[in-house]
Amino acid sequence: EYSPFSGIEKGAVLQEARVFNDPQLDSRRCSQVITKLLYLLNQGDSFTKTEATEVFFSVTKLFQARDIGLRRMVYLIIKELSPSADEVIIVTSSLMKDMNSKTDVYRANAIRVLCRITDGTLLTQIERYLKQAIVDKNPVVASAALVSGIHLLQTNPEIVKRWSNEVQEAVQSRAALVQFHALALLQQIRQNDRLAVSKLVTSLTKGSVRSPLAQCLLIRYTSQVIRESSMNGQGDRPFYDYLEGCLRHKSEMVIFEAARAITELSGVTSRELTPAITVLQLFLSSSKPVLRFAAVRTLNKVAMTHPMAVTTCNIDMESLISDQNRSIATLAITTLLKTGNESGVDRLMKQITNFMSDIADEFKIVVVDAIRSLCLKFPLKFRTLMGFLSNILREEGGFEYKKAIVDSIVTIIREIPDAKESGLLHLCEFIEDCEFTYLSTQILHFLGIEGPKTSDPSKYIRYIYNRVILENATVRASAVSTLAKFGAMVDSLKPRIFVLLRRCLYDNDDEVRDRATLYLNTIGGDGSVVETDKDVKEFLFGSLDLPLANLETSLKNYEPSEEPFDIRSVSREVKSQPFAEKKAAAKKPTGLGAPPAGPASAVDTYDKLLLSIPEFSTFGQLFKSSAPVELTEAETEYAVNVVKHIFDKHVVFQYNCTNTIPEQLLEDVTIVVDASEAEEFEEVATKPLKSLPYDTPGQTYVAFEKPEGVPAVGKFTNVLRFIVKEVDPSTGEAEEDGVEDEYQLEEFEVVPADYMLKVGVSNFRNAWESLGPDFERVDEYGLGPRESLKEAVSTVIDLLGMQPCEGTEVVAANSRSHTCLLSGVYIGNVKVLVRLSFGVDSAKEVAMKLAVRSEDEAVSDAIHELVAN
Amino acid sequence: MLLAVLIANSEGNILVERFNGVPGEERLHWRSFLVKLGADNLKGVKNEELCVACHKSVYIVYTVLGHVSIYLVGKDEYDELALSEAIFVVTSAIKDVCGKPPTERLFLDKYGRICLCLDEIVWKVSSPS
């Protein structure tokens, strides 16, 4: 098909551009060439710096022409060419002349071009004209100036802020779009001053705003003001009536914006939501897909927090399941799954069944998650829902999708005891035909845990044994382990399990045969019905408490000799940063991977670790372990950090040491601690580190006794003492003799915050009420001049060492006051709650009111003393 | 933020593209994604009938006008409703310049004017034609 640009080529067009230099300008021809240049740029082509400069210089000559169409093209191409600062000077005077031209379109476009290509210095020169343009009668000119102002605010804010008065006037303009642009610019100019924004919103919501676009902006700014004011106030929400009034606007965009703003109000009540939901319900049956999508998306979000409010829309949403647009249909389904009631579950499942085959995997996973939540909400309906899940498991799908379904079934089995038998059977049927080794092995492992506990474990054996016959080596090995578990846990099955395991001895794969051998020899008896020893069960199926990395290192270091490998020689110390790892583990969903118990905390690890050291085993329950405190700078020869473990009557300092010098081996490593500035502490025990080779972290401990229940504080200076032996890096062998040496470390303190555990509460108000005012203490303090309110708040939070609740550690920018809610557990297991109110004045002086409630008066006093000092 | 405006012909070749704050490597992805979206969903769609989609927390509103298809991509405050307003303005501008829903040839013939109008859009095109 014919195209005016067929065969177009950059070089040729650049040649053609020479026509700009002709003394007799042919306007039409020039316009055509510019069009071609634009076409090239719009196709993704680009000019080199030289080419752009050349074209730019030629284009500047076109200012001589009087043709309006050509002039407009010139403005366009100048913006595309983005000339540099020294090139811009050439056109400045022409553009400034055009800025005052009688032709409106010249004025508007010249302003936009100038503002786009110019820098601050020129801006001050033309500022006068820009201010005039903002209040120009012609809306095109006014909008051009305002929009340029919005762009310029990013680079030259001080200049644009001087135009406030003119912009304010433009907000009152009768032209809808000028009002829209002016409002946007005014809000941006004033956005750092909450009071000014609030005033702006107040005046405009009372008046009439003509442009629907401006109304939308106003609704957004109103929401922002509501958000900021509700942090302090109570009672009726300001501006709610305005938002509710907008629900009756003639423009759909405004109605929707208002509805959405209402649904997003923090702490919104059902009464406030009702009018918004009514309006969104009407949109659900609109003929325009955009409106349907917008409505269903918003209702979906509301359903997460207020499912009851959305139930009125269920009927309309059911008809959206068959919507042509798949996004709309998926959103409708997931919303129904959240808002559905028990009686409607069967009908809903029937409708969804046909739908699932139409949508992509990522949508399906969303639906599966919603079904799982629904099942947990209505446990009596597990049969229908789990049946549905097992059906879709049989259909086509990718790994992530199937994994999501399996995880959901597992969760349902765990949470709903009645569902166990049928759920396990569904999983068994799945592994008969599962293409993903990962899923098969996980399911077999799960079967091994849950199957033996059922009323008739034998019915699962067939499925498991089939895997030994039919599948790949990994799955076969897993199946062997599962069979063994059944045999170990269910005595009556032992004879038959033994028969099956004996057959596995002939398998092709090493691992399978090894496992079978192991189980046959340890489970006990020779296949008669006897109980398996508890220790054996623990050995075979208990969890390995050792970190695998340490086990691997120890095994590598073990040299074959008369003495067998001793697993007790493997250090149990978890390497540094246990907090981060444990936190990550806690976030994993409870699918097949993670155990059903709560997330293991770092305290558990340290607890076990310290208990295993005989010198510290009598200290009792570990209260808190601090985060590691560095005692050396980065890149030093020996890197040491200390973890402070707090017990009731003792503190144990765990020094984690690393030797970064390959040519050295350190032995008999101890820390000599000077506690002269910690009078209440008395050293009672140390545990030296026997050997510290290159790059293998090790621990040494020093324990102190302190008065019971007293949060003693003190400063500790430390010196690392050791025997150093030279090591030949090529052989890795150390010399016989060593030299005694010392290395000075930094000091550290035990502070009151070490005696406070960061434990949050989900509802602070309830917790505060239940603690009661008996041991409440309130006082006020002046914190003096501080860098900022935010800094003062963080300092106090760190000092107290307590957990901020309900997000109150976040201080809003530019606010003059802030309330912070903290909670924690003090040593002696005393619950403590703190309410902090901060205020800052213009001289940056911060005042703070501290209210403490706890279960013990002494503790409340202690908190105040902390701050007072 | 309005991230992109793309106009393509019925074969999926791009006639006009404008990106805003999208790095180079991502543009390639967007071009092919949008063209595929159109190929899958725009068959049989009437003139100016809007379609909407959502991809990675970003909204897309698109339509057909004559023989060209128009795509608008936005995020944050440029949600699907704001985009539908914006696309209405774009389609009106093109119709004004071409006199009717354009064939590809007509679009290319009026290319320069269309670029000008897309640049100068304020509300309904009020500049002299």
Side-chain angles (χ1 to χ4, degrees), chain A residues 318-334:
Chain A
E318 281 180 22
S319 55
L320 285 182
I321 297 182
S322 48
D323 194 293
Q324 265 192 327
N325 183 309
R326 285 290 140 226
S327 302
I328 294 179
T330 311
L331 281 168
I333 289 202
T334 48

Side-chain angles (χ1 to χ4, degrees), chain A residues 43 80 109 177 260 297, chain B residues 14 18 59 79 120 122:
Chain A
Q43 294 283 298
E80 292 290 328
N109 282 331
L177 216 61
R260 194 167 58 180
R297 189 164 72 85
Chain B
I14 295 177
R18 274 225 161 355
Y59 309 103
D79 61 9
E120 288 174 359
V122 178

